[in-house]
């Protein structure tokens, strides 16, 4: 005779087939580990032995009520937590192009970055730009490294709007902006364009300046690549010069008119 307070079994409370089989497996394992008889477990759980036997044999599914009573009797959870659903990836803010990470993954990586030196005529300034996805802000970000003037290394957001077909590296600091405007990567992953920034003038004066800019994936950089100020006669200078000249020669950016000589001192 079942215990007087045995829980009634209803089909409506039945667990899904797969979960019921998992509970049965967990119960059999618990019985074996504890060397406990099925009758003893049924008594402790206040269910009938017949109910337990049928559920373990698969002739009827476990119900939620029976499973809870068994969990209490065994002091062991028998139901697996449902698989955690990963949150759907969110796109970047509209202000930066509403892109998804999958759509811009090809931009992630480390780039040799080249531009003319502001402080030494004819020299090239070389440093590294790293582009990566920021999961906390749902956007691509960039940071600069290997700069001679390390305190002036920039960090910021990568904007990739669909309409212009260009990539923008945007630095904003207390209302001041620095902007690199680059064409979409070539088949080799290179990006060419223009950097607009401020350069140091006399005293505390800052002067707006625009200059050619090239980003080359480090995996494709010439052998013996160097960072810093690259002057004529250095081994990598001819290769760097050819790369940087492509901004104008291949039409990646236009510089109408003449550039006044004698840019202010700086890097």
């Amino acid at each position: 005779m079942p215990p007087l307070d045995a829980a009634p079994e209803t089909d409506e409370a039945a667990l899904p087939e797969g979960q019921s089989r998992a509970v049965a497996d967990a119960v059999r394992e618990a019985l074996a580990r504890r060397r406990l008889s099925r009758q003893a477990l049924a008594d402790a759980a206040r269910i009938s032995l017949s109910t337990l036997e049928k559920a373990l044999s698969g002739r009827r599914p476990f119900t939620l009520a029976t499973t809870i009573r068994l969990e209490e009797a065994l002091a062991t959870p028998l139901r697996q937590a449902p698989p955690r659903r990963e949150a759907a990836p969110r796109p970047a803010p509209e202000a930066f192009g509403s892109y998804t990470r999958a759509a811009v993954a090809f931009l992630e990586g480390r780039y040799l970055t080249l531009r003319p030196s502001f402080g030494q005529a004819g020299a090239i300034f070389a440093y590294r730009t790293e582009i990566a996805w920021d999961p906390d802000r749902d956007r691509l970000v960039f940071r600069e490294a290997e700069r001679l003037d390390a305190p002036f290394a920039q960090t910021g957001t990568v904007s990739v709007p669909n309409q212009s077909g260009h990539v923008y590296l945007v630095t904003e600091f207390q209302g001041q902006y620095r902007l690199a405007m680059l064409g979409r990567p070539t088949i080799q992953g290179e990006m060419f364009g223009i950097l607009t920034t401020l350069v140091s003038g006399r005293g505390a004066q800052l002067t707006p300046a625009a200059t050619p800019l090239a980003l080359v994936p480090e995996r494709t950089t010439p052998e013996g690549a160097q960072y810093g100020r690259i002057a004529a006669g250095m081994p990598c200078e001819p290769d760097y010069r050819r790369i940087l000249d492509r901004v104008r020669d291949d039409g990646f950016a236009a510089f109408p008119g003449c550039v006044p000589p004698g840019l202010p001192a700086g890097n």
Side-chain angles (χ1 to χ4, degrees), residues 159 161 164-170 178-184 191-196 211-215 247 252-253 255:
S159 178
S164 74
H166 281 69
V167 177
Y168 301 81
L169 308 186
V170 185
R178 172 185 182 265
L179 176 66
M181 187 184 308
L182 301 159
R184 293 294 180 106
M191 291 187 284
F192 301 95
I194 298 173
L195 173 68
T196 59
T211 186
L213 183 70
L215 272 67
V247 177
F252 287 103
F255 300 87

Side-chain angles (χ1 to χ4, degrees), residues 138-227:
D138 300 308
R139 67 193 69 172
L140 285 177
V141 295
F142 77 92
R143 74 179 188 92
E144 296 175 352
E146 300 291 346
R147 285 186 56 148
L148 281 176
D149 53 351
F152 295 96
Q154 304 287 312
T155 61
T157 299
V158 181
S159 178
V160 191
N162 286 324
Q163 292 184 336
S164 74
H166 281 69
V167 177
Y168 301 81
L169 308 186
V170 185
T171 300
E172 185 278 327
F173 178 72
Q174 297 181 349
Q176 298 183 65
Y177 286 84
R178 172 185 182 265
L179 176 66
M181 187 184 308
L182 301 159
R184 293 294 180 106
T186 66
I187 194 170
Q188 288 83 22
E190 305 152 323
M191 291 187 284
F192 301 95
I194 298 173
L195 173 68
T196 59
T197 186
L198 297 172
V199 296
S200 300
R202 296 179 179 177
Q205 181 184 2
L206 295 174
T207 304
T211 186
L213 183 70
L215 272 67
V216 181
E218 284 193 342
R219 67 180 185 276
T220 67
T221 52
E223 187 176 353
Q226 294 177 273
Y227 295 101

Side-chain angles (χ1 to χ4, degrees), residues 23 33 42 46 81 114 163 181 191 220 267:
V23 170
R33 286 181 180 275
R46 293 176 295 137
L114 306 173
Q163 292 184 336
M181 187 184 308
M191 291 187 284
T220 67
N267 284 317

Side-chain angles (χ1 to χ4, degrees), residues 34 36 40-46 66-76:
R34 303 180 187 203
L36 190 65
L41 177 58
D43 293 343
R46 293 176 295 137
T66 296
T67 304
I68 291 174
R69 287 173 178 260
L70 290 169
E71 288 177 332
E72 291 174 347
L74 294 168
T76 300

